[in-house]
Amino acid sequence: MPMYAKPCECGVTVWLTASPGDGAIHLAHALANLLRRAGHQVAVLDGKEPRRAGLTAEVLARNGMLVLVACTPDHPQDCDTARNRHGRSGTQFLDIRVTPPASGTPNAELPPHAPDFVVPPDTPATERPALLLDLLTERRFVVRRPLWT
């Protein structure tokens, strides 16, 4: 029987950056629904006030929650500030860029630093939550259960 690494059982902040109208908040809620059905504690934060969202996310993630923050690229320094705050407290942080679907409108300029993951533009919106679930599973923040099929 193969042995698998145990999930980290730690919290994580997933910072979803997308241009306005590209669906980051909808993606966050769809992913949260998958995670909740599997028994995980999940918080979804709207990053309209990214500094406050970064602080709240760090506190929640530090206490074991999966936190999904949906932001626009208007203030790239806020993502960096949140990442640094998480780093100082030893809390996990993933920076994910959400590109518009291939049939969508052109993307606004995204922050110049490299994200941890970019959602490919050819990924249909309906498949994006599962793609991110796979990423969280691969990074061992969650364990995929049969319920998620």
Side-chain angles (χ1 to χ4, degrees):
M1 182 159 131
M3 296 294 291
Y4 296 99
K6 185 177 178 186
C8 73
E9 296 182 15
C10 57
V12 60
T13 293
V14 179
W15 194 271
L16 300 163
T17 302
S19 294
D22 284 342
I25 194 71
H26 298 293
L27 175 57
H29 282 291
L31 178 58
N33 287 337
L34 288 175
L35 292 164
R36 286 183 186 121
R37 284 192 348 225
H40 293 282
Q41 290 187 347
V42 183
V44 176
L45 304 177
D46 190 333
K48 289 180 182 171
E49 294 183 34
R51 285 182 187 239
R52 180 177 290 171
L55 171 62
T56 303
E58 189 274 327
V59 171
L60 293 172
R62 182 169 18 107
N63 286 286
M65 288 192 74
L66 295 165
V67 184
L68 310 174
V69 181
C71 290
T72 61
D74 299 335
H75 304 285
Q77 69 277 9
D78 291 325
C79 178
D80 291 335
T81 299
R83 180 189 289 275
N84 291 337
R85 178 180 182 82
H86 282 69
R88 286 192 303 274
S89 70
T91 306
Q92 298 293 325
F93 184 91
L94 290 175
D95 178 10
I96 297 177
R97 300 296 160 73
V98 181
T99 56
S103 62
T105 57
N107 213 5
E109 188 65 31
L110 290 175
H113 61 274
D116 298 306
F117 184 78
V118 175
V119 176
D122 59 345
T123 306
T126 57
E127 295 178 16
R128 290 174 176 216
L131 178 70
L132 293 184
L133 180 58
D134 288 344
L135 175 69
L136 291 173
T137 303
E138 177 184 302
R139 301 273 177 111
R140 296 185 16 235
F141 292 113
V142 299
V143 173
R144 187 180 270 288
R145 296 183 175 113
L147 159 67
W148 294 351
T149 58

